[in-house]
Amino acid sequence: MGGTTRQPRERGGGELIVVEAYTPAPQMDHDPLPDQVLGFALDQRAFGPRRLMVAFAAYDGRFLALMHAERTDPVDGAVEACLTHFDTIGRGGESLAAAVVLCDEPVAVGPAPPGFLATFERARRAARAHDVHLVDWIGCDDDTFRCARRRTFERTAEPGWWDVPGLPPA
């Protein structure tokens, strides 16, 4: 991946959200984002605890960028900061993009807690305003992760997961 960029973004109370960005080195081959998501989920604390990461790709799955910021309360501020920063430096010439959010948050075994899917839907609306299709939200902690949409990490077992608009079915 390329270098790190720190981009402060203001949120409601005048506080700044620092977004760090990693983009792939152009001369390197990279696995498509759908194939990397499990690795990102398992290694989501590489940048520290209580972080929110957004992994971006072209509609065909080509990895474009990884943005991360401190998880905000509510988390919408960190999501918006990462989306805005992606608009600024990470698009790689793509007018449309897809993304997956990985949020370091408590995850309990069992059904999703109230509000989990509502948070995903709010993030989807925010992403849409940036011409980004949010494919999934993955909540991660030290031991467990929960996806809003994906049920398995075997691509062939869940071919409709990467559901970007305008692509033919897998």
Side-chain angles (χ1 to χ4, degrees):
M1 290 198 180
T4 302
T5 302
R6 293 180 184 270
Q7 182 68 29
R9 297 288 180 207
E10 281 199 41
R11 57 179 151 158
E15 299 174 62
L16 294 178
I17 300 172
V18 176
V19 176
E20 294 190 48
Y22 293 87
T23 57
Q27 70 275 18
M28 303 294 290
D29 273 339
H30 300 280
D31 291 334
L33 178 59
D35 296 344
Q36 295 185 65
V37 169
L38 177 59
F40 286 160
L42 294 173
D43 199 28
Q44 53 83 30
R45 286 218 173 148
F47 304 110
R50 294 171 300 284
R51 304 292 292 177
L52 178 125
M53 299 185 334
V54 185
F56 294 91
Y59 270 20
D60 64 5
R62 281 177 296 113
F63 178 70
L64 297 175
L66 177 69
M67 309 285 166
H68 66 95
E70 183 179 332
R71 187 186 71 217
T72 56
D73 186 20
V75 72
D76 306 60
V79 171
E80 182 64 35
C82 289
L83 290 164
T84 300
H85 195 50
F86 178 69
D87 283 342
T88 306
I89 64 111
R91 282 194 172 272
E94 298 291 327
S95 60
L96 300 172
V100 176
V101 170
L102 297 104
C103 184
D104 182 11
E105 58 189 346
V107 178
V109 175
F116 180 75
L117 294 178
T119 300
F120 171 57
E121 288 305 322
R122 282 194 323 275
R124 270 193 137 173
R125 285 191 300 277
R128 219 172 287 127
H130 291 267
D131 293 323
V132 173
H133 175 70
L134 186 57
V135 175
D136 209 345
W137 181 287
I138 303 175
C140 316
D141 66 17
D142 283 332
D143 303 312
T144 309
F145 53 90
R146 165 179 283 110
C147 303
R149 293 195 54 244
R150 193 162 198 165
R151 300 296 165 241
T152 177
F153 280 98
E154 295 296 325
R155 242 184 130 179
T156 55
E158 198 165 4
W161 174 77
W162 192 257
D163 68 342
V164 294
L167 281 187

